[in-house]
Amino acid sequence: LGYRRIVTVGWSMGSGNVLLQGAAVQTGEGSADAIVSVSGAGRWYLRDTAAMRRVQWLIGSRSGRAAARLVLRTRVAKDGWGKKHVDAPLQPHEAIAQISPRPVLVVHGDQDPYFTLEQPNALFGAAREPKELLVVAGCGHAEPAADERVVRGVGARARQVVGLNAATARASWWGK
């Protein structure tokens, strides 16, 4: 469509998707100039928070899938994610390691009830340069927690990292 730069941004589960896409499509059509992971996990099948234990129950058990269908009006595949995870895609921390030399931004709220700060730290630790970790004070999980300040900050930093609006100083809300 004639865009000068493409930055893919994924929130929560979408974070894993953009990391997988960034690892799989390095150049050419469908490739991105930079990848932004917001509120993402470093690995699949986490159970280290109460919120993720609920998610895993909803997906991984027959009663959970019934509850998801009846209460949340959401259907989950009959077998959920499976017990052995043999068909699992590349782990997010493995995918992010393959994205360089394109820039990666890892953004995470310090009040995220789904993923502890261990997750963005794992992603950042696995990423190769150029990379940046931005922990947003007082922010929760993904889109529901993202106010205008967060959305504008992610957009401004993404534009800056790919050379658009390069004269713009780092958004002050990042706290750096």
Side-chain angles (χ1 to χ4, degrees):
L1 297 173
Y3 293 105
R4 292 186 296 162
R5 300 280 187 264
I6 302 294
V7 177
T8 56
V9 181
W11 301 70
S12 191
M13 181 64 86
S15 164
N17 293 335
V18 298
L19 296 175
L20 289 169
Q21 184 266 347
V25 185
Q26 297 286 325
T27 59
E29 188 174 330
S31 69
D33 297 294
I35 291 38
V36 180
S37 162
V38 183
S39 296
R43 62 185 196 282
W44 306 123
Y45 312 113
L46 292 171
R47 294 179 182 272
D48 54 349
T49 63
M52 283 309 297
R53 286 189 291 278
R54 282 191 300 273
V55 168
Q56 294 296 339
W57 172 74
L58 284 167
I59 294 167
S61 72
R62 189 174 183 192
S63 59
R65 289 189 296 277
R69 185 178 64 253
L70 298 171
V71 177
L72 301 175
R73 296 179 179 253
T74 301
R75 292 183 183 263
V76 178
K78 178 182 173 187
D79 295 327
W81 285 354
K83 298 251 184 241
K84 298 185 182 189
H85 312 305
V86 293
D87 295 328
L90 197 62
Q91 294 285 343
H93 71 274
E94 296 169 331
I96 202 169
Q98 299 178 23
I99 293 172
S100 180
R102 293 165 295 152
V104 175
L105 300 177
V106 177
V107 181
H108 203 84
D110 68 352
Q111 302 297 311
D112 190 322
Y114 290 90
F115 305 127
T116 66
L117 289 176
E118 177 185 333
Q119 298 309 309
N121 287 326
L123 288 173
F124 182 73
R128 296 187 179 112
E129 294 291 343
K131 63 182 181 177
E132 187 170 356
L133 173 62
L134 304 167
V135 177
V136 183
C139 190
H141 183 73
E143 298 94 337
D147 58 17
E148 183 177 350
R149 155 187 85 109
V150 171
V151 173
R152 286 186 184 275
V154 168
R157 191 67 185 120
R159 285 189 301 277
Q160 186 180 12
V161 87
V162 294
L164 301 174
N165 299 337
T168 304
R170 180 186 299 239
S172 62
W173 71 271
W174 293 126
K176 295 188 179 189

